[in-house]
Amino acid sequence: MSLPRRNFDTLIIGAGGGGLRAALQLSQAEARVAVVSKVFPTRSHTVAAQGGVNAALANVLPDNWHWHMFDTVKGSDYLGDQDAIEYMCRAAPRAVYELEHMGVPFSRLDNGKIYQRAFGGQSRDFGGEQAARTCAAADRTGHAILHSLYQQNIRARTHFFDEYFAIDLLRDRDGTVLGALVLEIATGEPLIIEAKTTLLATGGAGQLFRTNTNALINTGDGMAMALRAGIPLQDMEFFQFHPTGIAGKGMLITEGVRGEGGYLLNGEGERFMERYAPKAKDLASRDVVSRAIYTEVREGRGCGPNKDHVLLKLDHLGVDVVAKRLPGIRETVKTFLYLDPAVTPIPVYPTAHYTMGGIPTNRYGQVVVPEHNGPEEPVLGLYAAGECACVSVHGANRLGGNSLLDILVFGRAAANHIIGELKQSRYHRPMNDDSVDQAMARLGRWDRRDGSETVDGLKRELQTVMEQYCGVYRDEAVLREGVAKVIELEARLQNAHITDHSKVFNTARIEALELENLMDIALATVCSALERRESRGAHSRVDYPERDDVHWMRHSLFHKEGQRMDYKPVRIKPISVDPFPPKKRVY
Amino acid sequence: MRFSIYRFDPDKDSQPYMQDYVLDEAKIWPGMMLLDALLELKAQDETLSFRRSCQEGVCGSDGMNINGRNGLACVTPLASLKSPIELRPLPAQPVIRDLIVDMSQFYTQYRAAKPYLINEDPEPEVERLQSPAEREQLDGLYECILCACCSTSCPSFWWNPDKFLGPAALLQSWRFLADSRDQATDLRLDELEGPFKLFRCHTIMNCVEVCPKNLNPTRAIGRIKELMLKRSM
């Protein structure tokens, strides 16, 4: 079959902050770059980020990148790779200044500098007093950044394929990535995009869980594409539950609320975080606060008629501070709960939020896999950045404010490496038809008209299974059952069909393809969680409550083929400073 | 709860039509939003097509015409709507399918407003300074989510979508004119000269009425006109 083709120097899949930061760097270097996104770029989930982006600007309190690095390593529960973390923290101030120069409307201090607020897990002087490191545009920082990046890409004349869905990566027999097969959603027509280099920037997979803070589009498409291309996923057992989603609904309430002075109360009116984190209290790391809320509720100290949540109090901040610093969450709470958080506390509960794991990369954004020469051999032609990637700067637990930083720093770093690569590769390598046929088969599978299962039904079941069997607290028996349940659902997916066979803007087909992606990632998550027999960061095993650095200070790698686990060491050696050796993690 | 929804699939329908749907009362919960209801209806009928993503009013995907008024389905409480709920695509745009419109014209006008900061000075090593008062000028402007509820409710945009930039694009135009860091005031004003791009706004104010983010494009347009007047004097 002869399919239409386009060719570019670089294909970027995903138009959130990571993809757009990379695209801008490449367009400004006059590379021919195509950005493929299943939604119009400003609808990508970066738009929903609220609290801010971390950088040691020291605009409010003394700060430096080395303290930021310490906090990030500690926050990661020592699973983060220290070379990548050093790189990110050192690059942070420049990344933020660049955004400011692009026009991001950061909030300002009286002296005209960028406003910074306190956030969880931040300290001065390697574990000392609270720092103020999070640069904010009110509580709409993600929106401000995503729109500015898109706007600058318009100026730089980046080529966009809006509302195109990526089906699969295309590889040659040596495994070099040559681009992707994509689908124009509006017409249902497939298109081959050939590229010398491909960057995956497709975001996370929050839709794995029933109650989540994520957009419906967060189905981990790039991660699943990598799995199907034979690339393992790293550290998938580490999924972040944000302490403060709106109870029962899931909308995100930024950590910035606590950064501005808000705090949590249990059903007895007690400021319970003082018991769990005597020093940092409500601004301890997210994994710590989420477990504390979960424990309060489980032990009968929840709020409300069903005692199933806790309260986030911010009315003492005053209407002016709430209106000026937290206008977005005020609007959200008014819309969804009919109450004004400047007057009444918000009911909150831990909610699935962020995928720490992902496609393994080095700090240049190159996707790396265990091959003959070592555990981290680059896959030629393939890069990944942002939430879909695992560099790993977040390790077992991400600090608030580090995700926006991650996408900026590594979107840019990947683009810079690609620019170097493009100088050496002047021609496109020949395309492999087998690879195209396989991708087309994935698409064609949904043309069939028989089958007893529905996509919507299976998705709901999968989300419930993940919540019940792979939530905040885990143990061997529950996880074993979880693995069995996901495998059963995956088998039933073979028997699913859709009733919409139109070529025009067929959203049923897109949702079917997204469910396939979610299913692959669910299996990676639950299998990785079963095998890691320790508690570290966001992965809490009731049956193995302690961190075990002797056996488990290593990254997990899940291979789709044979559902095989593999491991590789943590890169504990930073670039220029001394390593931070593992210590007991107290806040 | 009863719905009457605009349906059109050019792959099989020769003409658009309105289709009735019923959502079982047992599936309705307190605080349910219109988008939640649409997702339930889609579970019953996969062919019903609409855009959606964030479900909390920040991505701007699910703009549609709800009982005659443009709005975002995800932040419109079901309980606020009169039954049967009539849903149509955003007005006066080419329909791709069902509630999904072709927004090319809207995006073209957005790009025409040069919606990016222009400052040709050498970049400083740190941030450019901006006082809190200067920054406050951008409040009510930068929050736009490009949902197109405003422009597609504007009669001036209906008649001249290729010539009049429309409220969303003009709000962006003022967002950069109002930014103390931007240096392209003359260029921006020059490009808005003429009877159409800016001056087709007849302050009908539908845009203000429907904006789900409570922004005020009419006021922004007024500020641009004032600035133009000041410049010509």
Side-chain angles (χ1 to χ4, degrees):
Chain A
M1 183 175 6
S2 158
L3 294 171
R5 285 169 192 239
R6 298 285 299 273
N7 60 67
F8 291 87
D9 290 333
T10 300
L11 165 63
I12 296 177
I13 304 177
L20 292 186
R21 183 65 192 81
L24 184 59
Q25 195 80 356
L26 285 157
S27 286
Q28 287 173 342
E30 297 186 3
R32 294 175 55 249
V33 47
V35 179
V36 164
S37 173
K38 64 179 176 178
V39 293
F40 181 75
T42 65
R43 325 237 181 262
S44 308
H45 194 55
T46 301
V47 82
Q50 298 175 353
V53 47
N54 292 340
L57 307 185
N59 284 357
V60 174
L61 291 170
D63 206 355
N64 73 56
W65 66 263
H66 203 190
W67 301 347
H68 182 188
M69 178 183 171
F70 169 81
D71 290 340
T72 304
V73 172
K74 179 183 172 187
S76 81
D77 220 349
Y78 299 92
L79 193 72
D81 291 306
Q82 298 197 19
D83 60 332
I85 295 176
E86 177 181 342
Y87 179 79
M88 179 177 80
C89 297
R90 290 182 85 136
R94 179 164 174 191
V96 169
Y97 292 141
E98 280 175 349
L99 288 181
E100 196 284 326
H101 299 156
M102 286 176 207
V104 171
F106 283 110
S107 300
R108 299 290 173 150
L109 298 161
D110 286 339
N111 64 10
K113 292 185 174 183
I114 292 171
Y115 172 74
Q116 295 189 281
R117 61 163 56 111
F119 240 56
Q122 297 180 348
S123 73
R124 279 176 274 161
D125 211 12
F126 311 107
E129 296 301 301
Q130 176 72 41
R133 191 175 292 140
T134 305
C135 310
D139 60 352
R140 301 187 178 103
T141 316
H143 174 284
I145 291 175
L146 185 68
H147 279 253
S148 297
L149 284 173
Y150 179 61
Q151 293 164 345
Q152 289 298 329
N153 270 289
I154 293 176
R155 193 181 188 190
R157 300 181 181 280
T158 301
H159 192 95
F160 284 95
F161 289 88
D162 294 336
E163 300 191 319
Y164 280 68
F165 185 86
I167 305 291
D168 257 326
L169 295 171
L170 301 175
R171 305 183 80 176
D172 68 13
R173 286 194 178 80
D174 303 333
T176 303
V177 173
L178 306 173
L181 179 74
V182 304
L183 176 78
E184 182 178 21
I185 298 174
T187 60
E189 294 297 336
L191 168 70
I192 293 171
I193 298 187
E194 287 185 89
K196 297 171 193 165
T197 50
T198 300
L199 170 68
L200 293 169
T202 51
Q207 287 301 322
L208 281 177
F209 296 89
R210 192 173 62 101
T211 308
N212 64 67
T213 63
N214 281 206
L216 289 164
I217 56 172
N218 290 19
T219 50
D221 303 337
M223 295 179 193
M225 274 189 273
L227 273 181
R228 286 192 297 268
I231 295 159
L233 292 185
Q234 180 178 326
D235 295 341
M236 291 302 289
E237 62 272 40
F238 299 102
F239 202 95
Q240 180 163 79
F241 290 82
H242 195 291
T244 59
I246 292 183
K249 293 175 185 266
M251 293 82 188
L252 175 67
I253 302 298
T254 174
E255 192 166 296
V257 169
R258 284 169 285 141
E260 296 288 344
Y263 51 82
L264 295 161
L265 292 174
N266 65 16
E268 294 164 8
E270 181 203 10
R271 232 188 125 167
F272 60 89
M273 278 313 300
E274 291 175 345
R275 274 188 279 119
Y276 295 87
K279 202 161 105 198
K281 302 189 182 76
D282 297 85
L283 286 176
S285 247
R286 287 181 178 171
D287 56 334
V288 175
V289 182
S290 283
R291 278 192 292 271
I293 295 173
Y294 190 89
T295 305
E296 288 301 298
V297 168
R298 197 185 45 191
E299 293 179 355
R301 291 186 298 276
C303 302
N306 302 320
K307 297 191 170 198
D308 56 0
H309 60 264
V310 297
L311 292 175
L312 176 58
K313 177 179 152 64
L314 65 157
D315 55 306
H316 56 284
L317 301 180
V319 175
D320 287 350
V321 170
V322 176
K324 194 165 172 188
R325 301 295 183 206
L326 303 163
I329 64 106
R330 189 184 193 196
E331 184 185 318
T332 298
V333 172
K334 280 182 172 177
T335 304
F336 287 96
L337 295 175
Y338 301 100
L339 56 85
D340 183 354
V343 179
T344 316
I346 312 168
V348 293
Y349 195 70
T351 304
H353 183 58
Y354 186 86
T355 320
M356 261 85 68
I359 305 160
T361 71
N362 59 23
R363 68 174 191 268
Y364 309 107
Q366 292 178 288
V367 173
V368 291
V369 294
E371 286 279 7
H372 4 279
N373 298 328
E376 305 199 311
E377 287 292 300
V379 175
L380 294 180
L382 188 63
Y383 293 76
E387 192 172 345
C388 74
C390 187
V391 184
S392 163
V393 285
H394 309 306
N397 171 68
R398 174 174 73 75
L399 291 189
N402 269 356
S403 58
L404 287 176
L405 180 60
D406 173 10
I407 61 179
L408 297 169
V409 168
F410 292 103
R412 187 178 186 281
N416 281 339
H417 199 276
I418 288 170
I419 290 166
E421 209 48 33
L422 290 175
K423 286 190 186 128
Q424 290 163 36
S425 53
R426 295 178 55 200
Y427 304 102
H428 287 81
R429 294 163 69 111
M431 187 61 80
N432 167 11
D433 286 341
D434 291 356
S435 184
V436 177
D437 293 344
Q438 271 178 31
M440 282 301 289
R442 177 170 184 236
L443 192 57
R445 176 254 175 272
W446 291 101
D447 290 338
R448 58 184 270 201
R449 284 158 201 260
D450 60 312
S452 52
E453 303 282 354
T454 67
V455 168
D456 181 70
L458 286 174
K459 183 181 173 193
R460 289 183 201 218
E461 278 192 58
L462 177 67
Q463 291 178 320
T464 308
V465 163
M466 288 303 285
E467 191 156 287
Q468 285 176 352
Y469 296 88
C470 203
V472 174
Y473 279 105
R474 302 158 173 185
D475 74 35
E476 188 85 11
V478 168
L479 285 167
R480 272 197 193 289
E481 220 176 316
V483 171
K485 297 239 176 216
V486 175
I487 290 175
E488 184 213 315
L489 285 170
E490 196 182 36
R492 285 168 57 196
L493 181 59
Q494 307 310 314
N495 201 24
H497 80 299
I498 51 175
T499 51
D500 186 349
H501 296 282
S502 171
K503 284 180 80 73
V504 180
F505 220 110
N506 187 331
T507 51
R509 182 159 64 167
I510 298 299
E511 286 175 34
L513 294 164
E514 288 175 334
L515 179 63
E516 287 178 338
N517 291 340
L518 278 176
M519 203 62 89
D520 280 343
I521 298 164
L523 197 57
T525 304
V526 73
C527 287
S528 305
L530 172 64
E531 290 305 317
R532 183 174 286 271
R533 293 184 177 85
E534 66 156 352
S535 289
R536 185 186 294 270
H539 178 65
S540 307
R541 289 281 301 245
V542 183
D543 44 353
Y544 299 93
E546 297 300 321
R547 193 177 77 198
D548 176 359
D549 291 327
V550 177
H551 299 100
W552 287 105
M553 208 168 123
R554 53 183 187 163
H555 295 296
S556 318
L557 294 171
F558 171 88
H559 296 262
K560 181 174 159 71
E561 201 184 324
Q563 293 151 27
R564 181 167 59 86
M565 296 303 304
D566 195 356
Y567 295 90
K568 69 176 183 184
V570 174
R571 295 193 299 268
I572 47 173
K573 199 175 151 5
I575 302 169
S576 72
V577 292
D578 289 335
F580 292 109
K583 281 202 295 195
K584 195 165 165 55
R585 191 161 157 259
V586 210
Y587 283 99
Chain B
M1 187 70 104
R2 290 186 302 126
F3 294 79
S4 173
I5 304 181
Y6 181 98
R7 301 298 312 270
F8 177 61
D9 176 0
D11 221 15
K12 63 182 177 61
D13 303 324
S14 55
Q15 278 193 44
Y17 60 99
M18 298 301 287
Q19 183 174 345
D20 292 336
Y21 287 91
V22 178
L23 180 63
D24 194 348
E25 294 295 327
K27 290 206 161 154
I28 297 174
W29 67 81
M32 191 179 201
M33 294 291 171
L34 174 60
L35 178 63
D36 301 319
L38 275 170
L39 293 171
E40 289 292 340
L41 294 180
K42 189 170 175 62
Q44 293 171 25
D45 174 6
E46 280 180 336
T47 67
L48 176 61
S49 306
F50 49 90
R51 294 188 178 102
R52 84 289 180 276
S53 182
C54 76
Q55 316 164 84
E56 56 182 28
V58 297
C59 79
S61 296
D62 61 351
M64 57 186 71
N65 189 269
I66 306 161
N67 280 349
R69 187 174 185 274
N70 289 354
L72 295 181
C74 62
V75 290
T76 301
L78 201 58
S80 72
L81 299 171
K82 196 165 71 62
S83 178
I85 297 168
E86 196 174 286
L87 299 179
R88 294 173 182 272
L90 289 172
Q93 305 300 301
V95 174
I96 298 176
R97 178 176 175 177
D98 297 348
L99 300 173
I100 298 167
V101 295
D102 178 354
M103 293 172 73
S104 319
Q105 192 69 61
F106 175 79
Y107 295 138
T108 301
Q109 299 299 39
Y110 171 69
R111 285 193 297 269
K114 293 201 161 51
Y116 39 78
L117 190 80
I118 300 176
N119 182 317
E120 304 297 349
D121 289 347
E123 286 177 357
E125 262 181 81
V126 294
E127 68 266 59
R128 294 192 178 101
L129 299 181
Q130 188 173 47
S131 72
E134 287 168 335
R135 167 60 183 77
E136 232 167 74
Q137 300 301 311
L138 310 182
D139 285 338
L141 305 174
Y142 81 95
E143 300 93 325
C144 171
I145 57 174
L146 299 178
C147 64
C149 285
C150 61
S151 293
T152 62
S153 73
C154 171
S156 302
F157 190 73
W158 293 345
W159 303 131
N160 293 293
D162 54 336
K163 297 197 191 95
F164 174 50
L165 293 194
L170 290 167
L171 185 83
Q172 288 306 305
S173 193
W174 178 244
R175 179 250 174 274
F176 288 98
L177 283 164
D179 195 322
S180 60
R181 301 169 294 176
D182 190 87
Q183 297 175 330
T185 303
D186 279 331
L187 171 75
R188 294 182 190 281
L189 293 181
D190 287 348
E191 293 201 349
L192 293 175
E193 291 283 3
F196 281 102
K197 286 183 179 167
L198 170 70
F199 286 98
R200 272 288 130 163
C201 169
H202 297 311
T203 58
I204 299 166
M205 293 182 71
N206 283 0
C207 54
V208 184
E209 173 74 22
V210 298
C211 176
K213 306 308 282 183
N214 296 312
L215 310 180
N216 192 329
T218 305
R219 187 165 60 210
I221 292 168
R223 301 293 293 277
I224 303 175
K225 288 178 178 169
E226 276 169 34
L227 198 59
M228 265 193 175
L229 196 67
K230 232 190 265 171
R231 188 174 72 146
S232 66
M233 290 199 316

